[in-house]
């Protein structure tokens, strides 16, 4: 399905031109995902809004990264794992956290590990988590708002991961040194 159009400012539908300009201001370039999204101004705007809202939650940079990258790795997104590795570096997230997420090994703190575990459970069960799983998440220091915010992050990442799979979005040159393939250490969500 790699025949998805990848637009720029000149070829994009009129409804996407302002969104492209915003992306170029924010990133200094137009990310491949945004080139694909621009075919649908509504999908593009929806994705940008979900991203904006998720970054405005109470999650700090480490927690945002845990949610994003847990979902990216679980969905095996060839585009988003390297992109969020680079984004994590820009957000000053520890390489220990990033490498644990990419390699599916234990995170350096029990609270972050609880966030990853809950996020995985939510993804794998398609939202049908058990009361025990929710209570374990709460015992780690999270509350109802965090549950809803993980779902918000999941909505954003599901959108980008699925689009990148279907469009076979090429990894941006800036993220090519951060390419990723799934390790054999895949963790279980209990």
């Amino acid at each position: 399905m790699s025949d998805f159009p990848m637009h720029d400012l000149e070829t994009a539908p009129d409804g996407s031109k302002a969104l492209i300009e915003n992306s170029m201001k924010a990133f200094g370039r137009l990310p491949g995902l945004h080139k694909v999204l621009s075919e649908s101004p509504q999908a593009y705007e929806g994705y940008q809004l979900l991203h904006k809202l998720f970054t405005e939650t109470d999650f700090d940079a480490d927690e945002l990264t845990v949610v994003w990258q847990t979902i990216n790795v679980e969905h095996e997104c060839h585009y988003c794992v390297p992109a969020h590795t680079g984004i994590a570096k820009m957000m000053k997230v520890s390489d220990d956290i990033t490498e644990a997420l990419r390699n599916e090994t234990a995170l350096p703190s029990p609270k972050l590990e609880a966030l990853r575990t809950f996020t995985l459970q939510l993804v794998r069960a398609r939202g049908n988590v058990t009361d025990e799983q929710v209570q374990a998440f709460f015992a780690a220091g999270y509350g109802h708002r965090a549950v809803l915010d993980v779902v918000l992050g999941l909505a954003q990442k599901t959108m980008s991961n699925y689009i990148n799979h279907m469009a076979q979005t090429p990894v941006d040159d800036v993220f090519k040194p951060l390419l990723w393939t799934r390790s054999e250490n895949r963790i279980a969500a209990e």
Side-chain angles (χ1 to χ4, degrees), residues 69 80-91 98 102 175 178:
Q69 210 59 313
C80 288
V81 173
H84 277 280
T85 301
I87 291 166
K89 286 185 181 300
M90 289 183 269
M91 295 171 62
T98 297
R102 287 173 58 100
F175 297 128
L178 306 171

Side-chain angles (χ1 to χ4, degrees), residues 97-114:
I97 293 171
T98 297
E99 288 307 308
L101 290 164
R102 287 173 58 100
N103 297 319
E104 299 180 273
T105 57
L107 286 164
S109 87
K111 187 171 183 183
L112 290 178
E113 188 61 38

Side-chain angles (χ1 to χ4, degrees), residues 159-181:
M159 193 174 180
S160 64
N161 294 168
Y162 287 16
I163 288 168
N164 287 317
H165 288 316
M166 292 183 294
Q168 298 173 12
T169 311
V171 175
D172 300 336
D173 287 343
V174 69
F175 297 128
K176 282 185 179 174
L178 306 171
L179 289 175
W180 170 86
T181 55

Side-chain angles (χ1 to χ4, degrees), residues 12-109:
D14 287 341
S16 290
K17 291 186 188 277
L19 299 167
I20 287 175
E21 288 173 350
N22 290 340
S23 292
M24 291 175 68
K25 285 179 194 167
F27 300 104
R29 61 185 176 74
L30 188 59
L33 171 62
H34 297 215
K35 292 176 183 179
V36 174
L37 279 167
S38 64
E39 176 69 12
S40 168
Q42 292 75 19
Y44 195 3
E45 184 176 4
Y47 176 78
Q48 285 191 336
L49 180 59
L50 289 172
H51 175 78
K52 176 185 176 296
L53 294 172
F54 186 61
T55 61
E56 293 172 349
T57 65
D58 285 345
F59 290 140
D60 64 23
D62 291 350
E63 292 166 321
L64 291 169
T65 299
V66 167
V67 173
W68 279 326
Q69 210 59 313
T70 298
I71 298 163
N72 293 334
V73 167
E74 182 64 14
H75 287 164
E76 296 184 54
C77 186
H78 72 282
Y79 181 91
C80 288
V81 173
H84 277 280
T85 301
I87 291 166
K89 286 185 181 300
M90 289 183 269
M91 295 171 62
K92 309 262 189 267
V93 172
S94 160
D95 288 342
D96 292 342
I97 293 171
T98 297
E99 288 307 308
L101 290 164
R102 287 173 58 100
N103 297 319
E104 299 180 273
T105 57
L107 286 164
S109 87

